[in-house]
Amino acid sequence: MSTFQQTDPVARPQSGTRAGFPFTAVVGSDDMALALVLCTVSPAIGGVLVRGEKGTAKSTMVRALAAIMPAQQVVDGCRFGCDPADPDPGCPDGPHHVTPGVERPARLVELPVGATEDRVIGSLDLQRVLGEGRTIFEPGLLAAANRGILYVDEVNLLHDHLVDLLLDAAAMGRSTVERDGISVTHAAQIMLVGTMNPEEGELRPQLLDRFGLTVEVAAPREPDLRAEVISRRLRFDADPVAFAQQYAASEQQLREQIVRARRALPAVVLGPQALTKIAAVCAGFDVDGMRADIVTARAAVAHAAWQGRDRVTRDDIRAAARLALPHRRRRNPFDAPGLDEDLLDELLGDDEPDTDPEPEPPEPDDPDGNDQGPDGNDQGPDGGQTASDGDDAPQRPDGDRSGMDQQPADRSSDDQGRQDHRGDQQPEDRLSEDQQGDDREDGDPSDESPAVVGRVAAAEKPYRTRLFTATGLGTGAAGRRSRALTSSGRVVRAADRFQRGDRVHLPGTVRAAARRGLDAGRLAVRGDDLRSAITEGRESNLVLLVVDASGSMAAKRRMEAVKTAALSLLLDAYQRRDRVCLITFAGRAADLALPPTSSVEVAARRLTDLPTGGRTPLAEGLLRATETVRIERIRDPRRRPLMILITDGRATAGPDPLDRAGRAADLVRAAGIQTVLIDCETGRFRMGLASRLAARIGASYTRVDEVAADTITGAVAEHRPHLGAA
């Protein structure tokens, strides 16, 4: 048995003493269940992305999907799971002949967030290379997931180099391995399923678009539903086998319905009117490209087959659009996914595409006018049995419906009430220069509250910044910012020793063995000859935005420019995979508005809603930033920080504020925090406090005569390369 077979990471139906949580036992996740079932019926849809808060059974439901997926036929002995009816002509284990094959359970392969590139795409089988002297390819997770599901929990935390591999496989349906002297290509027809918590950061747009469908899940708010969730979980924990047996019938019924829907799928008619309707919906929502139209059409056909219809109807298109379009409407990372269902209904209209002629009037012996079929069941508008009375719809053991075949109630648009970060502020919401004064503060000197709530300045539309990087060679987490020694990238040299889990530097290993000479006329490689490959890639940084939100920042609309620059830096940090932190100070205290995170969406909301007013506790802002860096260095000592301090240098809060600010600046310098100070002081007469503060901190200083967003961001980009290597 090969190493690959011994470590096969495939999720299968549980057996023995420990059973898995049943798919049909999950409460309150109807949209998620529907999306997973549609992709199981038609894998060509392209997979599902599940977004939601922690503790909402996302992973539980995805793992339970393996138990209800129909079994599949594979070529006996093929490690890549080729279909015996249509084997891959380029399979490394081939060539295969058309044979009956063997049956195996459907595969759901889990991809860990911390997986290495070798484990994903495959590599040399070192055991056989060193033992037999033969070059043998050991398949990876993409090969194991061929014709099955590849599941990534916390997909938004996946390293970029693994994201690139998934993009290639999802786009081409094949995986190509060119490394360590081997050249292999094999089929990788995967259905990608990912789960994520949006608070931990967003996905790259390229990977986001590769998911066919997306759903938002949240914990139910109804006490009865929450009580039912608790009851089922406790019963499962007490006796998993007995609990699974209670849902065995509903699981089998759901599995059979999926099989029927798969068989009916090729016969479902997608008529010209339905196609036009799908195109009108996608165009009406202004989605990019044509992938949305294709995915919506495939999902509508699968939904019709799932409902037992032979023709796509308006309801099928609506259900498909609700799942296929929300994540394709985003224009930048600050936009939350969502779909205006009122607009969807308006675009769909009231007419049914490709419907049959009007039915004949009811027979005289039907006084109620019900349209019934030969068996007395109510019929749908296309003559098929409706979902409400269909015998094929899966039932829960307690009599409740699973909800996967039901249309959810209309919800209010996610777009309504959403903050527009482009900053269309009304003139009456802005302070005039006469009201502001040059450096007038809004706060009352006698006010002892931590912060004074003032006016909220609006930001303009964020823009693209220059690429700025840290000098030297760091060792931080993989990202897209600065040069660093990372676990992925181009090989630059061989290490002097090898550690378990490292990538093998084959030429260096051979050279080390060759220095000992030949053994019995052949080159013998021992364990101490192994060398690790040193790879150079890109790292991410910790960017701390420390923003003065006191009353003096409201002068001459300073805060509008500051917010626009900060939002632009957040956008750049998202693209470069940085972690960001937002600290504001006003009144008499500093506020950690956003702890270090990868979620720029949350940072943008809090920055946009940031009020301006009160006195200036500069020392508190510097101390809070220093403490934040100290804690983050304990958590991740390799990540290099950069503090961007935006202030006019004034310190007016507390006793002897200038002296306290100076002592806080000394602490920042002693901590070795690289700082860029943006002087926002304006007016004809300047006090020069910010320049003196920068000198005391040892920060790069930039004076801005006219506060403009591009000026501030350009200054940051100009001074960012002065970062030293860690």
Side-chain angles (χ1 to χ4, degrees):
M1 181 178 291
S2 68
T3 304
F4 166 76
Q5 292 170 321
Q6 293 174 359
T7 60
D8 193 3
V10 179
R12 296 185 177 89
Q14 301 289 335
S15 61
T17 59
R18 182 71 181 178
F21 198 91
F23 186 87
T24 54
V26 179
V27 178
S29 298
D30 295 345
D31 281 357
M32 180 178 174
L34 177 61
L36 291 173
V37 165
L38 291 183
C39 286
T40 303
V41 171
S42 177
I45 292 174
V48 183
L49 174 65
V50 184
R51 297 164 46 95
E53 57 196 18
K54 51 186 175 294
T56 50
K58 302 186 297 294
S59 301
T60 298
M61 198 165 198
V62 174
R63 293 188 177 106
L65 183 64
I68 63 169
M69 293 172 60
Q72 58 183 200
Q73 296 288 326
V74 298
V75 174
D76 188 16
C78 178
R79 297 174 296 169
F80 301 86
C82 285
D83 185 353
D86 185 21
D88 178 18
C91 179
D93 286 354
H96 301 304
H97 302 288
V98 178
T99 59
V102 296
E103 185 177 89
R104 74 174 184 188
R107 292 202 159 191
L108 189 148
V109 179
E110 294 195 35
L111 172 61
V113 172
T116 62
E117 183 177 340
D118 295 352
R119 192 69 188 95
V120 176
I121 64 174
S123 62
L124 282 175
D125 189 337
L126 290 177
Q127 192 174 28
R128 301 183 68 178
V129 170
L130 299 179
E132 304 175 13
R134 300 170 53 198
T135 302
I136 304 297
F137 175 67
E138 181 182 0
L141 298 180
L142 289 178
N146 183 36
R147 299 178 60 212
I149 295 176
L150 184 65
Y151 170 49
V152 188
D153 192 15
E154 305 293 349
V155 64
N156 52 324
L157 304 182
L158 202 63
H159 290 305
D160 280 351
H161 67 286
L162 298 183
V163 171
D164 295 336
L165 297 177
L166 293 184
L167 287 174
D168 292 340
M172 306 301 296
R174 302 191 67 82
S175 176
T176 301
V177 184
E178 298 283 353
R179 58 183 302 167
D180 299 332
I182 58 176
S183 178
V184 174
T185 179
H186 64 83
Q189 298 176 359
I190 59 174
M191 187 179 85
L192 192 60
V193 176
T195 56
M196 60 173 284
N197 184 350
E199 294 180 357
E200 298 171 347
E202 288 293 338
L203 278 178
R204 284 170 52 184
Q206 297 91 335
L207 182 59
L208 183 66
D209 190 53
R210 285 296 173 183
F211 286 98
L213 310 177
T214 184
V215 291
E216 297 276 346
V217 295
R221 299 295 180 241
E222 298 83 353
D224 292 342
L225 282 180
R226 296 177 73 94
E228 180 65 20
V229 171
I230 298 172
S231 173
R232 294 189 184 189
R233 185 69 215 188
L234 293 178
R235 284 156 47 200
F236 173 77
D237 291 339
D239 192 343
V241 176
F243 184 83
Q245 287 296 326
Q246 297 177 15
Y247 291 87
S250 61
E251 295 276 288
Q252 180 61 28
Q253 187 176 2
L254 179 58
R255 190 180 301 109
E256 293 173 356
Q257 187 174 356
I258 291 175
V259 172
R260 286 195 296 269
R262 280 187 172 183
R263 291 173 179 171
L265 188 69
V268 175
V269 177
L270 180 64
Q273 286 184 294
L275 279 173
T276 303
K277 191 73 68 177
I278 291 172
V281 168
C282 295
F285 280 107
D286 194 26
V287 296
D288 294 332
M290 295 297 298
R291 184 173 287 117
D293 305 63
I294 297 173
V295 171
T296 303
R298 289 172 175 168
V301 172
H303 190 267
W306 172 250
Q307 295 289 344
R309 290 189 281 266
D310 59 0
R311 184 177 293 274
V312 172
T313 67
R314 177 187 184 276
D315 289 341
D316 299 321
I317 298 175
R318 189 182 192 279
R322 288 184 58 255
L323 300 174
L325 299 185
H327 61 302
R328 293 186 166 90
R329 298 187 58 247
R330 303 187 68 187
R331 288 296 181 267
N332 62 65
F334 304 148
D335 294 337
L339 196 69
D340 186 344
E341 296 197 18
D342 292 335
L343 176 59
L344 175 61
D345 291 332
E346 180 181 343
L347 293 170
L348 286 172
D350 297 329
D351 57 317
E352 287 282 354
D354 291 346
T355 54
D356 293 332
E358 290 293 328
E360 296 294 332
E363 296 295 331
D365 58 351
D366 185 11
D368 296 331
N370 293 328
D371 186 15
Q372 297 182 340
D375 57 356
N377 292 327
D378 291 344
Q379 302 293 310
D382 58 352
Q385 186 172 313
T386 59
S388 60
D389 293 325
D391 294 331
D392 292 340
Q395 299 276 347
R396 298 193 188 275
D398 56 5
D400 293 338
R401 306 190 63 83
S402 66
M404 288 180 293
D405 56 347
Q406 299 176 8
Q407 293 294 331
D410 287 350
R411 296 174 295 188
S412 61
S413 169
D414 293 332
D415 294 333
Q416 294 179 359
R418 186 179 300 154
Q419 192 94 15
D420 187 358
H421 299 300
R422 293 175 296 184
D424 296 332
Q425 188 185 27
Q426 299 300 323
E428 57 268 23
D429 293 333
R430 296 178 175 174
L431 290 175
S432 67
E433 293 187 11
D434 293 335
Q435 290 173 314
Q436 295 167 349
D438 252 1
D439 291 302
R440 185 178 306 163
E441 301 214 10
D442 296 335
D444 185 351
S446 63
D447 184 12
E448 297 295 331
S449 61
V452 177
V453 178
R455 295 183 179 270
V456 177
E460 301 297 329
K461 182 178 180 180
Y463 51 86
R464 190 177 185 86
T465 64
R466 292 169 47 192
L467 172 62
F468 43 91
T469 62
T471 58
L473 200 61
T475 58
R480 300 171 62 86
R481 174 68 59 193
S482 309
R483 290 178 58 219
L485 298 178
T486 60
S487 59
S488 62
R490 64 185 184 92
V491 178
V492 293
R493 65 178 186 277
D496 294 335
R497 55 184 178 178
F498 178 81
Q499 295 181 349
R500 183 178 179 85
D502 286 352
R503 179 177 175 180
V504 175
H505 190 276
L506 193 58
T509 300
V510 173
R511 285 194 297 267
R515 281 194 290 267
R516 291 188 296 100
L518 300 179
D519 184 7
R522 60 182 296 182
L523 183 66
V525 179
R526 301 187 311 198
D528 55 357
D529 295 327
L530 293 176
R531 298 292 185 267
S532 297
I534 302 297
T535 53
E536 180 180 317
R538 295 280 175 174
E539 70 172 358
S540 60
N541 298 117
L542 172 63
V543 178
L544 298 97
L545 294 178
V546 184
V547 181
D548 184 351
S550 62
S552 63
M553 296 298 292
K556 296 185 178 178
R557 300 177 184 170
R558 293 180 191 171
M559 206 60 191
E560 296 177 15
V562 167
K563 284 188 176 182
T564 304
L567 287 173
S568 301
L569 290 168
L570 286 175
L571 179 60
D572 185 69
Y574 163 79
Q575 295 168 342
R576 306 298 172 189
R577 315 303 289 175
D578 289 327
R579 288 176 65 82
V580 296
C581 171
L582 177 62
I583 297 174
T584 63
F585 55 95
R588 296 191 180 275
D591 177 34
L592 182 60
L594 183 68
T597 179
S598 299
S599 180
V600 298
E601 192 173 325
V602 177
R605 287 199 300 267
R606 298 188 181 179
L607 182 66
T608 303
D609 298 336
L610 177 66
T612 304
R615 305 186 75 81
T616 310
L618 178 58
E620 282 71 14
L622 296 177
L623 292 175
R624 177 58 67 92
T626 305
E627 178 64 13
T628 302
V629 171
R630 185 189 69 81
I631 295 175
E632 286 303 304
R633 281 175 170 169
I634 296 175
R635 294 174 177 171
D636 189 356
R638 298 184 304 166
R639 190 183 295 272
R640 293 185 280 178
L642 171 67
M643 181 171 71
I644 302 176
L645 177 60
I646 306 179
T647 181
D648 56 7
R650 306 183 85 191
T652 60
D656 201 0
L658 290 178
D659 180 65
R660 293 183 68 249
R663 285 186 277 115
D666 293 338
L667 293 177
V668 172
R669 185 165 192 163
I673 303 175
Q674 175 69 33
T675 306
V676 175
L677 190 148
I678 305 297
D679 184 2
C680 293
E681 187 177 23
T682 58
R684 183 173 303 177
F685 302 101
R686 300 186 180 184
M687 303 176 64
L689 297 176
S691 61
R692 280 180 274 174
L693 178 64
R696 192 158 182 174
I697 295 178
S700 301
Y701 168 79
T702 299
R703 187 176 69 182
V704 181
D705 293 330
E706 295 183 359
V707 178
D710 56 349
T711 306
I712 293 179
T713 310
V716 174
E718 177 183 351
H719 288 277
R720 179 65 178 272
H722 292 291
L723 271 171

